Amino acid sequence: MIYNQEFETLPREALEALQLSRLRQVVARVYHTVGFYRKAFDEAGVTPEDVNSLDDLRRLPFTCKQNLRDNYPFGLFTVPMSNIVRVHASSGTTGKPTVVGYTKRDIETWAELMARSYAAAGLTSNDIIHNAYGYGLFTGGLGAHYGAEKLGASVIPMSGGSTKKQIMLLQDFGPTAICCTPSYALYLAEAGAEMGVDMKSLRLRVGIFGAEPWGERIRAEIEDKLNIMALDIYGLSEVMGPGVAIECAEGRNGLHVFEDHFIVEIIDPVTGEVLPYGEAGELVFTTITKEAFPLIRYRSKDISRLMPEICRCGRTFVRMERITGRSDDMLIIRGVNVYPSQIESVLMSIEGLEPHYQLIVDREGSLDTLEVQVEVSEDVFSDEVRALQNLEKRITKDIKDILGVTSIVKLVEAKTLERFEGKAQRVIDKREI
Ligand code: DLL
């Protein structure tokens, strides 16, 4: 089903003409309203007048997470705070989050793109959508919520956690669709089975899963355990939130990028060179309709491939292959974005810890686990067991408070963790997806 027939099936030529006119507008606007862009464009020797074709996009400089951090919190907004109706945030590479803002129109656009996503998954106003993405600073909860209302469906704003209650509502309210991370979907399936609930006979028929990497093996497992069709949804806070791209129920092979709102490129993550369709590289997004917080050539760090072949669903938008990796070291643990550098800064703020640590990420059943091994100085290690346990507790708490992620902390004796000659390999990720 296509929510916005006019735009989602625009012939390529018309789509590109629309993209160019929107691109020219947004480029002029950021140049004239945001000091950061003016400086970056001036340094690259380009002006908005130089953008006369879509190919000219590659003359513009990239934007990256560090630029957002340098302008924390609101420095890249192009409108006064009086026009901002909402902010969201996601974790940055250090303690400070990445902050994004929306005008009223931005929220409406986002709701439409989420409504389009639901429609692509075959949902209509007759559906009941159980939304188990977290509500709050994370874009998942409210993004999925507004889109469901825009579609006219009934939305259950469950948010994350309280698994037993989720299972009760899944039985009692009879939702026909569920939104959450793929790992939480598996967890719900297992927890329900343990409670003696026949999870296959719920009314659920579709799941819209994203916010973390997953693959065909997990898809098959979710589809089997919940007896639903599982679709992949992609997005990132900086660009908007969920609903930048979605798999359609007809194709289930690649995610359509809503190209009337975003221009997507693939670049070589090392050289920055733009790669042709079909080649794997880093996704770069330019937002062409956002008001509050437009982004020019934002480097997502997500690795994918673009597939231009027309899909049988009728959408003319290019598809991106499901995300196959990251070009930086960001981990997603139970849906929370975590950079090893953030954990390092928590550890290094605590006295008695040595600058040698290792992170072991694994999956127990369907839940991600994070073990933090850190060396302690010799005098600390010879303390009483109780003192060591207290220290472990304190680190666990600090990591939870600052990063929002649960960990198991293990203190080890000085000089017992592996040392590295080249780049430190601090993360061991044993998860299979
Ligand atoms: O995760 C937005 C979102 C919410 C998407 C709900 C889908 C569903 P952030 O917290 O800013 O935003 O994290 C963005 O998550 O750069 C990817 O690395 C990863 N990611 C998001 N969706 C997928 C997906 C939300 N379908 C970061 N597959 C992105 C793989 C994904 N990775």
Side-chain angles (χ1 to χ4, degrees):
M1 251 162 295
I2 296 187
Y3 183 81
N4 189 329
Q5 191 73 33
E6 180 188 351
F7 284 95
E8 294 184 71
T9 61
L10 269 182
R12 201 70 211 169
E13 219 167 280
L15 175 63
E16 288 179 2
L18 177 72
Q19 285 186 320
L20 179 60
S21 97
R22 289 180 166 177
L23 175 66
R24 288 172 55 99
Q25 280 176 23
V26 74
V27 166
R29 206 151 60 78
V30 296
Y31 186 77
H32 294 296
T33 53
V34 184
F36 160 77
Y37 281 111
R38 175 177 289 256
K39 191 158 165 276
F41 283 26
D42 288 349
E43 276 169 15
V46 285
T47 66
E49 288 70 42
D50 292 327
V51 179
N52 295 307
S53 72
L54 286 180
D55 278 343
D56 289 334
L57 179 61
R58 53 184 79 176
R59 300 174 62 179
L60 303 177
F62 293 118
T63 311
C64 62
K65 211 160 195 151
Q66 179 65 36
N67 302 136
L68 271 55
R69 198 192 322 162
D70 294 342
N71 291 283
Y72 175 84
F74 306 141
L76 295 184
F77 292 2
T78 64
V79 298
M81 279 311 277
S82 54
N83 290 356
I84 300 277
V85 297
R86 175 137 28 110
V87 292
H88 279 287
S90 73
S91 26
T93 43
T94 57
K96 297 281 187 193
T98 301
V99 184
V100 298
Y102 306 78
T103 62
K104 220 170 209 159
R105 202 187 81 182
D106 292 335
I107 295 285
E108 279 162 18
T109 306
W110 187 11
E112 151 137 7
L113 298 194
M114 277 306 300
R116 288 188 191 178
S117 302
Y118 290 127
L123 303 181
T124 68
S125 58
N126 294 326
D127 281 285
I128 304 177
I129 301 178
H130 180 101
N131 183 14
Y133 283 123
Y135 282 65
L137 285 174
F138 177 52
T139 52
L142 285 167
H145 183 102
Y146 274 59
E149 287 187 351
K150 175 92 182 168
L151 182 71
S154 320
V155 56
I156 303 168
M158 179 61 216
S159 197
S162 318
T163 302
K164 286 202 169 125
K165 187 164 180 185
Q166 304 247 8
I167 288 163
M168 180 177 80
L169 300 193
L170 287 172
Q171 293 174 278
D172 297 350
F173 292 3
T176 49
I178 181 166
C179 299
C180 60
T181 58
S183 52
Y184 194 60
L186 273 183
Y187 184 66
L188 281 171
E190 284 162 11
E194 265 171 37
M195 286 163 63
V197 177
D198 178 5
M199 297 298 280
K200 287 187 204 245
S201 64
L202 297 172
R203 281 188 69 211
L204 286 179
R205 60 186 177 85
V206 175
I208 296 170
F209 305 120
E212 66 185 10
W214 57 308
E216 292 305 323
R217 200 181 63 86
I218 291 194
R219 165 144 51 201
E221 209 173 318
I222 296 175
E223 291 193 331
D224 174 51
K225 290 191 168 148
L226 290 176
N227 191 22
I228 59 173
M229 174 170 67
L231 295 172
D232 192 4
I233 186 165
Y234 170 81
L236 56 168
S237 327
E238 297 91 312
V239 171
M240 183 178 79
V244 172
I246 177 102
E247 256 178 348
C248 59
E250 294 88 346
R252 307 224 303 152
N253 175 23
L255 295 77
H256 291 280
V257 179
F258 291 118
E259 285 185 287
D260 51 338
H261 294 273
F262 313 107
I263 299 180
V264 59
E265 300 169 276
I266 289 271
I267 62 162
D268 178 322
V270 179
T271 64
E273 183 201 348
V274 177
L275 299 176
Y277 282 153
E279 283 189 32
E282 180 181 332
L283 288 166
V284 170
F285 292 97
T286 298
T287 69
I288 50 175
T289 54
K290 264 177 32 169
E291 289 183 333
F293 181 56
L295 275 176
I296 306 295
R297 304 195 82 200
Y298 184 69
R299 293 190 56 164
S300 69
K301 304 285 177 180
D302 290 320
I303 304 293
S304 173
R305 220 164 44 87
L306 294 177
M307 313 193 282
E309 300 79 19
I310 295 293
C311 178
R312 72 185 101 147
C313 70
R315 285 178 188 77
T316 46
F317 298 146
V318 72
R319 279 169 292 165
M320 52 177 258
E321 185 180 50
R322 62 161 69 249
I323 302 293
T324 52
R326 297 265 313 168
S327 65
D328 68 2
D329 56 0
M330 185 180 89
L331 299 162
I332 304 183
I333 299 170
R334 297 197 195 176
V336 182
N337 301 354
V338 177
Y339 288 91
S341 56
Q342 293 176 300
I343 294 187
E344 178 172 316
S345 64
V346 172
L347 296 177
M348 290 310 103
S349 66
I350 298 173
E351 214 171 309
L353 300 185
E354 298 285 313
H356 299 285
Y357 64 95
Q358 192 154 50
L359 310 179
I360 298 162
V361 189
D362 205 347
R363 195 160 268 167
E364 250 166 49
S366 56
L367 279 189
D368 295 333
T369 58
L370 168 66
E371 181 176 313
V372 179
Q373 299 180 345
V374 57
E375 290 184 4
V376 289
S377 55
E378 267 158 39
D379 45 322
V380 173
F381 201 74
S382 52
D383 272 356
E384 284 171 40
V385 176
R386 169 95 51 88
L388 290 176
Q389 281 172 343
N390 284 342
L391 185 55
E392 283 176 351
K393 269 193 209 143
R394 146 126 200 253
I395 303 170
T396 310
K397 182 172 185 309
D398 281 5
I399 292 177
K400 177 78 187 172
D401 288 348
I402 296 170
L403 306 184
V405 68
T406 305
S407 59
I408 300 156
V409 173
K410 287 209 175 130
L411 299 176
V412 300
E413 207 172 339
K415 305 200 182 69
T416 49
L417 290 179
E418 196 181 341
R419 298 293 190 263
F420 302 93
E421 285 179 6
K423 243 182 194 307
Q425 278 284 340
R426 300 206 189 282
V427 181
I428 301 175
D429 196 336
K430 299 181 175 166
R431 291 174 296 186
E432 270 176 45
I433 58 167

